Amino acid sequence: MTLSSLTNRLSRVRAASKAFIPRCRFQFHGLSQGAKAIQKQESWFVKVVCTLFVYSQPLDDSSLGYLIKNLTPSTEFEVVKWLNNPAYGLKFFELSRENLDITHSFWTYNLLIRSFCHVGLHGSAKLVFDYMKIDGHLPDSTLLGFMISAFGRAGEFDLARKLLAEVRSDGVMVTVFALNNLLNMMVKQNKLEEAVRLYKENIESNFNPDTWTFNILIQGLCRVGKVNQAFEFFNDMRSFGCFPDIVSYNTIINGLCKCNEVDRGHSLLNEIRLSDDCLPNVVTYTSVISGYCKLGKMKEASALFSEMINSGNVPSVVTFNVLIDGFGKAGDMLSAKSLYEKMDSFGCSADVVTFTSLINGYCRIRDVNQSLQFLSAMKVRNICPNVYTFAITINALCKENRIHEAHELLRELQCRNIVPKPFIFNPVIDGFCKAGNLHEANRIVAEMEKKCEPDKVTFTILIIGHCMKGRMLEAINIFDKMLAVGCTPDGVTVHSLISCLFKAGMPNEAFRVSTIASPDTKLTSSTPVDNNAHLRINRDVFVDA
């Protein structure tokens, strides 16, 4: 077939070619300067081939013969590019590969692989990669890095691992940046064991690790408490020419302190101070200080805080917060308040965590009035209390039988843009139940159900509260509702209800409750007894006549 005869054949679809190309266009990715632009006279030929391919399938032998004679790797690349659709591009690629005996250029594979990855068709991208290897081409490190990063972002970690295994014997090196990105994504997706295995499979053969590589794995291992394994990587760094930086040290120290190995973390901090590699910073000191505070070792925490300041490290808000919280839990509110008053001199502004820690500390020593003063101070500073600030204060007020003040705070909470939790409502509901004001308790529950679901504690409080007032039918209805919403009662709930039912002269209901609850609740003793043993419980709950 000649160009003239092909032109005559295509004259019927030339008008369509002008319409087709714009309609099919969407962004095709991965073009490179390596793919040279074709001459203007070849551009028309490319458009005609595109139109013929889309509108004249299947191609007859004469058309195929002409394309075999005239299609080159560069024009074939342009056809795939002009089709502007990865699916059409792959179909033409396979046609030219199987029927036209075309030797495809690297840029055609590169274009298709990148385009499929960008539209999320990673299996198709891998198929083109397989064609590439079969046809005798190898990816460069840039394309390989792009592919494993794309697979990683899509969560296709097995596909990325398989890809790396395939090129390992080909001597293709992946950039450390690309592999680090993949390892980082795996760790963030809780694929830690797979990340460690991937590192070990590819070390030295596919890439040379850097400090970031080790930091990624160390962070992942410390996060799940595998500090000893993290230390193995930490100690292995120098054998690969890498040196731990302050991130490496801080990660290990933080991991040790979270595992309560604070003295070991402190020793590592001292090691940094004496080394020439790097110097401890505020994060280093704060990690160890926090560790001592969690163990209640406030003397050691305070000494390290002083050392930190003397070394020229300025404490952060987090540093002050962990110390204030530690002193608060130790009951030393003088020290906690003293630190709070020093914050401004170090350029630190108290935040919601600071105030919540102070409020919690004063509530622990039953100085609720001082807690309320700090709650007022938050409002003056336009610092919004969080759910825990409210929960701590409300609970403390209820313990002091200041139910109406607690109720006012609960109303204030409901007016704020805070998602409440059952543990905030429960102390107030319990307070009104114990005061015999079931009407108000039930009203609070109704308000609570608009924001969050009652939990096991809520139901237990209501059941016991109604039992204490002799409202046994209401108590039974609450128990039935508890089961209906899928909330399993515990032994306290069931024991209390059954005891009160017996005292109220309702043995049949007591037996029904025990029968319903027994599959999910351990009511029996640890020794074998008769079938009625689960009914022999404490019956000392007071029931109104």
Side-chain angles (χ1 to χ4, degrees):
M1 178 181 281
T2 65
L3 179 61
S4 175
S5 60
L6 179 63
T7 302
N8 290 334
R9 180 179 175 185
L10 295 179
S11 63
R12 296 188 300 273
V13 294
R14 281 190 64 185
S17 73
K18 295 179 181 180
F20 160 70
I21 296 300
R23 276 202 306 272
C24 260
R25 292 189 73 87
F26 64 86
Q27 188 62 44
F28 226 156
H29 299 272
L31 301 184
S32 171
Q33 294 178 350
K36 296 181 181 179
I38 60 173
Q39 300 297 319
K40 286 185 178 180
Q41 57 266 33
E42 293 178 297
S43 178
W44 177 84
F45 173 71
V46 169
K47 294 177 185 178
V48 168
V49 173
C50 289
T51 306
L52 182 67
F53 173 72
V54 174
Y55 292 107
S56 300
Q57 289 287 345
L59 298 178
D60 58 27
D61 290 342
S62 58
S63 298
L64 290 172
Y66 178 78
L67 292 178
I68 290 171
K69 184 177 180 181
N70 293 280
L71 201 64
T72 65
S74 63
T75 53
E76 188 265 351
F77 167 80
E78 290 295 331
V79 170
V80 172
K81 182 175 73 172
W82 269 94
L83 284 171
N84 261 324
N85 182 310
Y88 278 139
L90 178 59
K91 189 175 180 182
F92 183 78
F93 170 85
E94 290 178 328
L95 171 72
S96 61
R97 185 174 181 271
E98 296 169 5
N99 299 102
L100 304 182
D101 197 27
I102 291 290
T103 301
H104 301 92
S105 71
F106 167 84
W107 302 107
T108 304
Y109 301 102
N110 180 70
L111 175 63
L112 285 170
I113 287 170
R114 289 176 179 270
S115 298
F116 276 121
C117 286
H118 277 292
V119 297
L121 298 175
H122 301 93
S124 297
K126 181 61 170 61
L127 175 64
V128 176
F129 176 81
D130 292 339
Y131 284 145
M132 185 180 189
K133 285 200 69 181
I134 292 170
D135 295 344
H137 291 279
L138 288 176
D140 59 15
S141 60
T142 303
L143 178 58
L144 181 60
F146 170 82
M147 289 182 72
I148 65 169
S149 295
F151 291 169
R153 284 191 296 271
E156 297 282 358
F157 298 121
D158 288 338
L159 203 56
R161 184 166 172 255
K162 182 179 179 183
L163 178 65
L164 287 168
E166 288 180 12
V167 300
R168 196 175 300 139
S169 60
D170 298 323
V172 180
M173 297 288 287
V174 61
T175 64
V176 66
F177 179 80
L179 197 64
N180 284 347
N181 267 338
L182 179 61
L183 291 172
N184 197 36
M185 286 185 279
M186 294 176 80
V187 169
K188 287 183 177 179
Q189 292 294 320
N190 297 318
K191 303 287 184 182
L192 182 58
E193 291 184 7
E194 292 90 332
V196 171
R197 184 166 67 249
L198 184 74
Y199 162 82
K200 291 180 177 178
E201 288 172 349
N202 291 276
I203 191 69
E204 291 188 315
S205 60
N206 273 21
F207 86 114
N208 293 313
D210 60 9
T211 299
W212 186 30
T213 313
F214 289 99
N215 285 348
I216 291 167
L217 296 172
I218 289 168
Q219 285 175 346
L221 290 165
C222 286
R223 191 177 66 189
V224 297
K226 296 183 177 180
V227 184
N228 289 330
Q229 190 176 354
F231 253 111
E232 292 177 12
F233 283 98
F234 181 81
N235 294 329
D236 218 20
M237 293 176 73
R238 296 180 191 275
S239 62
F240 289 95
C242 303
F243 295 92
D245 57 14
I246 193 60
V247 175
S248 315
Y249 281 109
N250 285 348
T251 306
I252 285 284
I253 289 171
N254 189 51
L256 287 168
C257 292
K258 284 186 175 179
C259 293
N260 295 328
E261 295 190 50
V262 187
D263 289 336
R264 194 174 168 194
H266 195 176
S267 297
L268 196 55
L269 185 153
N270 290 331
E271 180 183 316
I272 306 172
R273 286 196 306 115
L274 300 174
S275 72
D276 297 325
D277 293 339
C278 51
L279 291 173
N281 59 18
V282 62
V283 176
T284 323
Y285 280 102
T286 301
S287 295
V288 183
I289 290 170
S290 177
Y292 279 131
C293 289
K294 287 176 181 176
L295 294 177
K297 295 183 175 183
M298 299 312 300
K299 183 178 179 181
E300 290 86 345
S302 297
L304 192 58
F305 179 70
S306 299
E307 179 188 309
M308 172 186 177
I309 295 171
N310 292 333
S311 68
N313 282 285
V314 179
S316 67
V317 175
V318 177
T319 316
F320 280 105
N321 285 347
V322 297
L323 281 164
I324 290 169
D325 182 64
F327 280 118
K329 288 176 179 176
D332 185 358
M333 292 311 299
L334 286 176
S335 297
K337 190 176 180 181
S338 175
L339 280 167
Y340 161 72
E341 291 169 347
K342 290 178 181 177
M343 291 181 72
D344 287 338
S345 64
F346 286 94
C348 298
S349 298
D351 59 12
V352 63
V353 177
T354 317
F355 281 103
T356 302
S357 296
L358 288 164
I359 289 168
N360 185 43
Y362 280 110
C363 286
R364 282 170 173 264
I365 62 172
R366 304 181 73 86
D367 191 348
V368 182
N369 290 332
Q370 189 67 46
S371 294
L372 293 174
Q373 288 183 24
F374 275 105
L375 189 62
S376 298
M378 291 181 73
K379 297 173 184 177
V380 172
R381 293 195 180 199
N382 291 320
I383 298 173
C384 294
N386 62 24
V387 65
Y388 299 104
T389 319
F390 278 104
I392 291 164
T393 312
I394 288 170
N395 188 51
L397 286 167
C398 290
K399 286 182 177 179
E400 296 290 319
N401 292 321
R402 297 164 67 170
I403 306 301
H404 293 287
E405 292 176 75
H407 196 187
E408 284 301 316
L409 268 183
L410 191 59
R411 289 195 182 100
E412 182 183 334
L413 166 68
Q414 292 175 284
C415 294
R416 292 178 178 268
N417 188 26
I418 297 175
V419 179
K421 301 290 183 182
F423 63 78
I424 300 177
F425 290 88
N426 289 339
V428 185
I429 297 168
D430 186 51
F432 279 112
C433 284
K434 286 177 178 176
N437 192 346
L438 296 182
H439 174 75
E440 191 62 31
N442 287 327
R443 197 190 67 76
I444 294 171
V445 173
E447 288 296 318
M448 171 189 179
E449 289 178 323
K450 296 176 184 178
K451 302 289 183 71
C452 60
E453 293 295 326
D455 63 7
K456 185 185 298 184
V457 177
T458 316
F459 284 112
T460 301
I461 290 168
L462 290 171
I463 289 168
I464 294 176
H466 283 78
C467 286
M468 290 174 67
K469 293 294 290 182
R471 297 184 180 182
M472 304 311 302
L473 292 178
E474 290 94 327
I476 292 169
N477 288 336
I478 295 168
F479 179 77
D480 291 338
K481 180 181 178 180
M482 181 181 188
L483 296 176
V485 299
C487 187
T488 304
D490 59 17
V492 173
T493 313
V494 177
H495 288 169
S496 300
L497 179 57
I498 292 175
S499 177
C500 292
L501 288 169
F502 271 120
K503 288 191 174 184
M506 302 172 70
N508 291 335
E509 283 296 333
F511 182 75
R512 183 183 76 85
V513 168
S514 68
T515 303
I516 293 171
S518 58
D520 299 315
T521 309
K522 294 181 180 179
L523 298 175
T524 59
S525 62
S526 58
T527 56
V529 290
D530 62 84
N531 291 334
N532 291 323
H534 60 281
L535 301 180
R536 295 173 186 162
I537 54 178
N538 176 17
R539 300 184 183 180
D540 294 330
V541 178
F542 174 76
V543 182
D544 279 357

